[in-house]
């Protein structure tokens, strides 16, 4: 910090206009008051329930009466539970469907809307199409899930009827009832739901990319693909990270679509940790075990978040 | 942080955490009632009539009825009954995993005294009482009364009379005739059984098959923990292998594994299947929904034992401040007048006698129930023994439908959670 020359310093009689007004109480602690509402909510809605959940995970409890302390028994049982590991394997598929696929497809769709539709047909056309792609995000999952279960129904479902109509009846399947393909069907529905989110974020990010860079690249003879890959994508890297992080967390937490579409079936083929936890909490009245699943899931999400943020910070620092 | 800020934080935290005064104060002029029967169902109609009758008999007392969802009550009852927000009376599911669990935790009022003084136990057939009484472990069949049913239900065979007549098939009287009828449909390219593998219906078919080789002691061992259960015994083995065989013979479509109960019912109502094995609770839907063909029901052929029980029951939370009003309300729902409303609307009343229904389909349903109850034939439902066993059963039958597990593997899958639950309750 440079020191101002003496002549510029204000005299005692004439306080500088730029001098900050004195605050009662002094110090930065005064601002803490403004953090109280948020801190209280965080404490009451997140931290205290999570701490209670961790506590419950060390007990055997049916949800009523007195919990019985059993230490790490729930965790030992959990790590030996094949259904628990299967639910995490399914979650990997859902991360592909909810994070990787929509991010990849979202980049392409956003670029097409921004560079091609927006420039050729005007920004309004791009906005309308963007809204159409975003619509599944706005639909209540209960509605979307029921509509999709009709579409995918084995008898009288729209998808099988369409395949029949175009002469591909041999490809008709029991999309949600066959354990070999149910997870892929759910992944398809989730990718459809999720696509709009990265498209909107990436299109907003693309407006930040300096047109001069793209122009210079074009003058240097770079193809559209070259400009997109070497200028646009690096330009919206923060958005890509945010989308990947939030979508991965959403995939790990996914519950609604599974509840509406398959209830974890057929025969556990689409079960995921959040639904598995729910089943133990409310249907099997094994609250301690359900709490252990929820704790493991939370820790995993925190680790994933820390990893993403670290990678992002490194890239920014580098 | 200053003291003032800290104090504000503590006060606010206590407020947010809900450590303030309770809002669940009871009002002696109001009976707070929860149930989850649809307004068009037989029970819904009967209980509307009971509410009107109650208010007429108790001038100045208002019934504050809150319609809840089955799932809503199922999932939250233990927590709600533990709070100040509990109603004075509510409808709740019967069985070890539900009423049994709540009774064991001391959340329900003991109704034994009322049962004796008001004679409620005289109104119902002996094995309808099983689901009302629970011992200290929360196991049904003996001990104190914690729930009072006022209707009954059982699994029956709904059939499309027109489709049967078109192929000259008579109502089967034995399991062999039943399978012969299904063979005739398969030969004509028709899948005979509408099945919902995604929910409860498929497991009821499996249970009916197992019951065909079972006796009352077998049911008691399985449902009431009166002895060890061998999931590879003759009855379970027959049930699982025959179910798989029925899939192989195309009586059951392999595409039914993900079908919900509602879609199964609709497919039968739309005339897509000739037969549907499911609960008597479908009767009202059939009556209202089937316009294009003749239909009827018959008892699962050849079984002495059949899935069925008392219906869901009234329970009174231990914390209810208006217990006497709640008991009066239960009394009214059991009165001949209200039971007749239930019967006329297509339900199965719990008390014998009363005015027979003029609708032949409803009369047949009630007559079949009387046959079952008279023969001590009600064997409850397959998912009752353990909390969460419903999902286990759904998953197991889905594996039989899709062929992803052998009958023996499926039976192993049923055995494990059952044994765990037995160990937990010390049964």
């Amino acid at each position: 910090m440079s020191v101002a020359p003496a002549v510029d310093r204000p005299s005692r009689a004439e306080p500088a206009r730029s001098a900050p007004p004195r605050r009662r109480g002094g110090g930065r602690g005064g601002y803490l008051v403004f953090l109280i509402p948020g801190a209280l909510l965080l404490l009451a809605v997140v931290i205290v329930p999570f701490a209670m959940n961790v506590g419950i995970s060390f007990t055997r409890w049916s949800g009523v009466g007195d919990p019985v302390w059993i230490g790490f028994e729930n965790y030992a049982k959990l790590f030996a539970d094949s259904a628990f590991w299967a639910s995490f394997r399914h979650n990997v598929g859902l991360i592909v469907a909810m994070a990787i696929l929509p991010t990849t497809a979202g980049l392409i769709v956003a670029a097409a809307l921004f560079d091609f539709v927006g420039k050729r047909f005007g920004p309004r056309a791009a906005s309308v199409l963007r809204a159409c792609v975003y619509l599944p995000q706005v639909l209540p999952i209960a509605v979307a899930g029921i509509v999709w279960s009709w579409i995918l129904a084995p008898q009288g479902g729209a998808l099988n009827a369409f395949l029949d109509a175009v002469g591909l009846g041999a490809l008709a399947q029991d999309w949600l009832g066959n354990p070999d393909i149910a997870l892929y069907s759910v992944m398809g529905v989730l990718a459809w739901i999720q696509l709009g989110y990265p498209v909107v974020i990436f299109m907003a990010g693309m407006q930040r990319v300096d047109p001069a860079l793209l122009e210079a690249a074009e003058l240097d003879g770079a193809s559209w693909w070259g400009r997109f890959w070497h200028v646009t994508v690096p330009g919206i890297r923060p958005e890509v990270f945010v989308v990947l992080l939030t979508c991965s967390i959403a995939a790990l937490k996914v519950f609604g679509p599974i509840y509406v579409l398959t209830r974890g079936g057929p025969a556990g083929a689409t079960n995921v940790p959040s639904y598995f936890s729910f089943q133990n909490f409310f249907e099997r009245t094994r609250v301690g075990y359900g709490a252990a699943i929820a704790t493991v899931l939370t820790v995993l999400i925190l680790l994933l978040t820390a990893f993403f943020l670290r990678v992002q910070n490194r890239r920014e620092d580098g | 942080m200053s003291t003032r800020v800290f104090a504000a934080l503590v006060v606010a935290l206590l407020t947010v955490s809900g450590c303030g005064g309770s809002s669940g104060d009871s009002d002696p002029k109001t009976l707070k009632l929860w149930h989850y029967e649809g307004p068009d169902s037989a029970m819904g109609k009967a209980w509307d009539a009971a509410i009107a009758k109650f208010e007429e008999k108790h001038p100045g007392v208002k019934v504050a009825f809150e319609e809840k969802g089955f799932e809503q009550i199922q999932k939250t009852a233990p927590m709600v009954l533990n709070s100040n927000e509990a109603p004075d009376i509510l409808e709740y599911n019967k069985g070890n995993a539900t009423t049994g669990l709540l009774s064991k935790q001391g959340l329900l009022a003991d109704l034994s005294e009322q049962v004796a003084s008001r004679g409620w136990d005289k109104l119902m057939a002996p094995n309808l009482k099983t689901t009302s009484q629970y011992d200290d472990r929360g196991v049904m069949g003996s001990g104190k009364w914690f729930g009072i049913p006022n209707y009954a239900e059982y699994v029956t065979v709904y059939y499309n009379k027109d489709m049967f007549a078109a192929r000259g098939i008579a109502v089967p009287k034995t399991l062999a005739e039943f399978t012969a009828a299904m063979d005739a449909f398969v030969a004509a390219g028709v899948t005979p059984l509408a099945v919902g593998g995604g929910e409860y219906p498929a497991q009821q078919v499996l249970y009916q098959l197992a019951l065909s080789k079972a006796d009352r002691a077998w049911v008691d061992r399985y449902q009431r923990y009166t002895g060890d259960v061998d999931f590879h015994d003759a009855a379970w083995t027959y049930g699982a292998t025959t179910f798989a065989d029925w899939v192989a013979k195309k009586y059951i479509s392999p595409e039914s594994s993900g079908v919900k109960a509602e879609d199964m019912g609709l497919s039968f109502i739309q005339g897509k299947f000739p037969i549907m094995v499911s609960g008597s609770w479908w009767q009202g839907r059939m009556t209202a929904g089937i316009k294009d063909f003749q239909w009827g029901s018959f008892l699962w052929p050849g079984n002495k034992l059949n899935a069925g029980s008392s219906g869901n029951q009234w329970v009174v939370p231990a914390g209810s401040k208006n217990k006497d009003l709640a008991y009066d309300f239960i009394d009214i729902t059991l009165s001949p007048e209200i039971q007749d409303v239930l019967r006329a609307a297509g339900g199965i009343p719990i008390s014998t006698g009363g005015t027979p229904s003029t609708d032949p389909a409803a009369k047949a349903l009630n007559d079949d129930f009387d046959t079952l109850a008279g023969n001590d034939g009600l064997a409850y439902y397959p998912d009752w023994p353990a909390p969460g066993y419903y999902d286990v059963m759904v998953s197991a039958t889905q594996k039989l439908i899709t062929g992803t597990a052998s009958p023996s593997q499926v039976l192993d899958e049923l055995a494990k959670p059952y044994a765990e639950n037995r160990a937990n309750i010390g049964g």
Side-chain angles (χ1 to χ4, degrees), chain B residues 159-215:
Chain B
Y159 74 112
N160 182 320
K161 286 184 175 177
D162 293 4
M163 287 174 95
F164 270 58
R167 287 168 184 80
I169 300 168
V171 170
K173 297 277 185 289
T174 64
L175 197 58
E177 285 178 19
F178 192 32
T179 53
M182 291 195 286
D183 281 329
F185 282 114
V186 171
V190 176
T191 303
L193 278 178
V195 173
E199 289 179 355
Y200 63 81
Q203 60 189 259
Q204 292 177 350
V205 174
L206 171 70
Y207 193 54
Q208 289 290 101
L209 288 166
L211 287 173
S212 69
K213 303 287 178 195
D215 57 16

Side-chain angles (χ1 to χ4, degrees), chain A residues 32-33 36 39-41 43-45 48 60 62-66 77 81 149-150 154-156 160 172-174 176-180 259-263 265-268 275 278-279 281-286, chain B residues 1 5 8-10 12-13 16-17 71 74-76 78-79 82 97 101-102 105 107 198-199 253-260 263 272-273 386-389 391-392 394-396 398-399 402 404 416 420 424:
Chain A
L32 286 175
V33 175
I36 287 174
L40 279 176
L41 278 173
L43 196 67
V45 177
V48 170
R60 184 184 300 121
S62 64
V64 284
D66 297 324
K77 203 160 138 189
D81 188 342
S149 64
W150 289 342
Q155 291 143 351
N160 283 350
Q173 298 283 348
D174 183 2
L176 293 172
N178 180 341
D180 296 331
Y259 184 83
V260 177
L261 285 168
T262 60
R263 305 251 168 145
Y275 188 71
F278 168 86
Q279 280 179 312
F281 269 121
F282 296 110
E283 285 161 8
R284 298 175 190 172
T285 60
R286 297 197 300 186
Chain B
M1 196 187 293
V5 170
L9 195 132
V10 170
L13 179 61
V16 175
S17 304
E71 293 257 335
Q74 195 76 334
K75 302 269 188 288
T76 59
M79 285 157 237
N82 229 353
L101 182 72
L102 296 193
Q105 300 294 351
L107 294 174
E199 289 179 355
S253 164
E255 291 183 335
S256 61
S257 66
V259 175
K260 302 267 191 295
D263 295 330
K272 292 178 181 171
F273 290 88
Y389 211 51
D391 287 330
V392 174
V394 168
S395 173
Q398 282 178 323
K399 286 181 181 177
T402 57
T404 46
K416 192 167 166 266
E420 276 176 11
N424 279 344

